């Protein structure tokens, strides 16, 4: 029987226990624009007491420099307007430019604005702002999350800002810019060992990803293979997967710990592996508990892999099917 994306998505479906991450983002989405900006400032400064992101490299900041220079020269009212436009996804030139940034350039842009806010050069919160009770609710929900989940909430809110450029035709796309590389802070983990797992495609996948060797990782997939990032739709086909990996998977440290493998009557294999992933933004200080769900075809190629954020550390040991 041919493998289908739909059936692949449902393997080990008990992995997807309700996560507090989308629930917290849904609360955030209900806030008005000024409350959203205030929430992000309070959440970020509170988080900064224990963890701070690494400063982005010069090459990355260069991509955001035109916008940052423009903003620095503005009056404080105009700076507030730009931030409101970004948060409300308005159609303005700055919000369009931001909309074309890659995920990591969006984060670098806000990182730099945050530094300017700390120095008092950009106003973090609109003048005369009064906090609504809704902000407190979202902050309290955020405090209940672990650090890996908190940085995921922040990342996703930043990614969702700016004009939705997917609605624009290809003629409006800026020229493809090379994605700057992240410096690896920890040594590459080259020999992968996962308790309960010997599947070559999976071990090679982790090894390639930990070396940022995306060509090698993509070569492990079938030509109709798919990768499903946390809370997203599957990305289908080697070209689209490679583009995604270059933009979003650089510098990650993947530390899978244990897994199970079930061979199906047609010779395909379903594997669930749990472990910890570190992002180059926070290095070894924040570990995200995740699961990989792999569907390997009878020829040993990856047909599907889903990456899920685990709801709690207890889920690391939950390798049962039902
Ligand atoms: C300035 C301030 C504070 C106030 C203003 O009002 C508004 C904003 C937005 C502000 C600034 C906020 C800032 C600077 C936030 C920065 C947040 C950062 C740097 C967050 C980074 C998070 C990174 C995460 C969550 C990375 C997760 C990666 C994962 C789970 C990777 C998984 C993958 C695996 C394991 C694979 O096998 C395949 C690839 C894939 C990438 C899916």
């Amino acid at each position: 029987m041919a493998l289908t994306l739909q059936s692949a998505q449902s393997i080990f479906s008990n992995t997807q226990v309700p996560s507090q991450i989308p629930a917290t983002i849904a609360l955030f989405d209900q806030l008005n624009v000024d409350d959203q900006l205030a929430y992000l400032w309070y959440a970020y400064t509170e988080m900064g007491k224990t963890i701070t992101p690494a400063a982005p490299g010069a090459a990355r900041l260069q991509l955001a420099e035109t916008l940052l220079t423009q903003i620095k020269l503005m009056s404080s009212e105009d700076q507030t307007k730009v931030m409101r436009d970004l948060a409300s996804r308005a159609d303005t030139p700055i919000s369009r430019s931001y909309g074309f940034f890659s995920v990591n350039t969006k984060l670098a842009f806000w990182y730099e604005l945050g530094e300017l806010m700390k120095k008092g050069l950009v106003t973090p919160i609109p003048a005369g702002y009064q906090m609504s009770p809704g902000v407190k609710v979202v902050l309290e929900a955020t405090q209940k999350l672990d650090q890996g989940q908190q940085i995921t909430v922040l990342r996703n809110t930043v990614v969702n800002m700016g004009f939705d450029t997917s609605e624009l035709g290809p003629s409006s796309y800026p020229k493809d810019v090379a994605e700057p590389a992240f410096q690896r802070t920890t040594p590459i983990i080259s020999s992968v060992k996962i308790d309960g797992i010997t599947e070559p495609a999976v071990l090679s996948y982790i090894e390639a990803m930990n070396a940022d060797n995306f060509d090698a990782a993509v070569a492990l997939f079938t030509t109709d293979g798919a990768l499903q990032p946390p809370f997203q739709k599957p990305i289908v086909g080697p070209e689209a997967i490679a583009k995604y990996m270059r933009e979003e998977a650089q510098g990650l440290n993947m530390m899978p710990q244990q897994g199970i493998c079930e061979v199906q009557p047609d010779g395909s294999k379903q594997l669930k592996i749990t472990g910890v992933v570190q992002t180059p933004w926070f290095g070894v200080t924040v570990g995200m508990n995740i699961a990989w769900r792999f569907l390997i075809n009878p020829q040993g190629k990856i047909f599907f892999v889903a990456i899920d954020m685990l709801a709690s550390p207890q889920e690391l040991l939950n390798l049962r099917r039902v």
Side-chain angles (χ1 to χ4, degrees), residues 37 44 110-111 114 152 155 158 205 244 254 281 288 290 292:
L37 292 169
Y44 187 69
W110 280 110
Y111 172 91
T152 307
R155 177 186 184 276
V158 164
Y205 171 85
Y244 172 82
M254 304 193 183
W281 281 104
M288 286 168 283
I290 69 152
W292 290 266

Side-chain angles (χ1 to χ4, degrees), residues 134-165:
V135 176
K136 223 173 139 231
V137 171
V138 195
L139 283 171
E140 278 166 7
T142 310
Q143 272 161 4
K144 292 193 190 118
L145 304 178
D146 66 38
Q147 285 180 329
Q149 294 170 324
Q150 290 181 352
I151 65 166
T152 307
V153 169
L154 275 193
R155 177 186 184 276
N156 291 7
T157 56
V158 164
V159 170
N160 288 338
M161 284 189 197
F163 186 65
D164 182 1
T165 52

Side-chain angles (χ1 to χ4, degrees), residues 58-74:
R60 167 101 41 209
L61 280 178
Q62 223 178 332
L63 298 177
E65 198 171 86
T66 316
L67 292 199
L68 288 165
T69 310
Q70 262 177 283
I71 295 169
K72 269 189 249 178
L73 295 172
M74 287 177 180

Side-chain angles (χ1 to χ4, degrees), residues 36-38 40-41 44-45 47 53 83 107 110-111 113-114 117 124 148 151-152 154-155 157-158 161 205 209 227-230 244-245 248-249 252 254 277 279 281-282 288 290 292 307 309:
Q36 289 189 346
L37 292 169
L40 286 163
W41 173 250
Y44 187 69
T45 40
M47 220 174 67
M83 290 191 274
L107 290 169
W110 280 110
Y111 172 91
L113 273 187
M117 289 174 189
I151 65 166
T152 307
L154 275 193
R155 177 186 184 276
T157 56
V158 164
M161 284 189 197
Y205 171 85
M209 295 300 282
L227 179 142
Q228 183 178 295
Y244 172 82
M245 285 178 175
E248 305 210 18
L252 295 173
M254 304 193 183
V277 171
T279 152
W281 281 104
F282 293 94
M288 286 168 283
I290 69 152
W292 290 266
I307 292 92
M309 302 285 299

Side-chain angles (χ1 to χ4, degrees), residues 46 72 76 89 92 129 183 236 238 248 263 271 279 317:
E46 186 56 34
K72 269 189 249 178
S76 126
R89 316 196 74 186
T92 65
Y129 170 78
Q183 291 299 313
V236 185
E248 305 210 18
V263 183
L271 299 94
T279 152
L317 297 172

